[in-house]
Amino acid sequence: MRKVLLAAVFTVCGFAATAQQVVIAALGDSLTQGYGLIEQEGFVPQMRAWLSERGADVRLINAGVSGDTTAGGAARVEWTLTPEVDGMIVALGGNDVLRGIDPAVARANIDTILQAAADRDVEVLLVGMQAPGNYGPEYKADFDAIYPELADEYGALYAQSFFDGLAVEGDPAAARELMQPDGIHPNAQGVARIVEALGPQVLDLVSRAADE
């Protein structure tokens, strides 16, 4: 709607209305921020290049903070959603799992983030996170359900996992080669695989945001 209003203003003022660059904020943790990598190897620069190669006129903002939880994302979403932001990738939850945070708390935080985006007519791609089984089946079921259920509730785009692109069937050694020595963060090659897998859904987000 904001872009429609801008186009109308340009027309009234006698200027030719032109397509506006879409601005996407990537709200996340160290996976988004690019932990352990030189800048151009991180998720945001690689995704930016991937989108550009496909003709998408996008400004992708790195709003990743290493170590952030869903609570951190909820606390800073208001100032992340500046007036020029048209869409948002939300990729949070890994640090909640590492700390064993109650899934109900994580759900409330992500709900806060999605509500803030809805209040501003900002389109969202919600990237899921799966809990390991060591906290028990109930914890895992409750945590894993957060993302598809909230995406459905808010009409957000949904990606099952940030790590889908790293799946290497039956070859653990090949999967390890895509990770940094800590076994948590992808290396540059791993990020490239993640971008290839997630890129089409980011393009869908760009298309939705451009239509607003």
Side-chain angles (χ1 to χ4, degrees):
M1 180 61 69
R2 286 174 297 170
K3 286 185 167 54
V4 172
L5 291 174
L6 282 172
V9 169
F10 291 152
T11 302
V12 169
C13 293
F15 295 104
T18 58
Q20 299 292 303
Q21 183 183 55
V22 174
V23 179
I24 304 292
L27 183 71
D29 49 32
S30 56
L31 297 172
T32 304
Q33 181 265 336
Y35 176 88
L37 302 170
I38 61 175
E39 184 176 358
Q40 62 265 34
E41 292 177 346
F43 171 74
V44 169
Q46 288 207 49
M47 180 62 77
R48 189 185 293 129
W50 190 93
L51 293 169
S52 178
E53 288 168 3
R54 285 151 184 82
D57 186 14
V58 182
R59 180 157 69 92
L60 190 58
I61 299 169
N62 192 342
V65 173
S66 187
D68 222 1
T69 60
T70 57
R76 61 192 175 87
V77 67
E78 295 287 345
W79 53 264
T80 298
L81 292 174
T82 53
E84 76 271 20
V85 172
D86 305 298
M88 182 167 60
I89 301 167
V90 178
L92 287 160
N95 290 308
D96 295 65
V97 169
L98 289 174
R99 301 178 189 187
I101 290 172
D102 186 341
V105 173
R107 177 185 286 268
N109 292 331
I110 295 175
D111 184 86
T112 295
I113 292 168
L114 296 181
Q115 186 61 59
D119 289 345
R120 291 161 177 76
D121 295 322
V122 169
E123 295 289 345
V124 173
L125 168 61
L126 181 61
V127 182
M129 179 66 63
Q130 287 73 47
N134 55 302
Y135 294 118
E138 184 177 351
Y139 182 100
K140 178 172 175 57
D142 289 347
F143 193 92
D144 293 0
I146 293 170
Y147 300 88
E149 289 178 1
L150 286 182
D152 182 66
E153 180 179 336
Y154 281 92
L157 292 166
Y158 169 64
Q160 181 174 330
S161 173
F162 190 86
F163 295 108
D164 274 351
L166 300 184
V168 181
E169 292 293 335
D171 191 352
R176 285 195 296 271
E177 290 177 0
L178 300 172
M179 303 298 289
Q180 295 182 44
D182 63 9
I184 297 173
H185 299 93
N187 58 26
Q189 182 184 359
V191 172
R193 293 274 297 263
I194 289 167
V195 166
E196 283 288 340
L198 195 58
Q201 287 154 302
V202 177
L203 276 177
D204 287 344
L205 174 64
V206 172
S207 178
R208 277 196 182 190
D211 289 340
E212 281 296 307

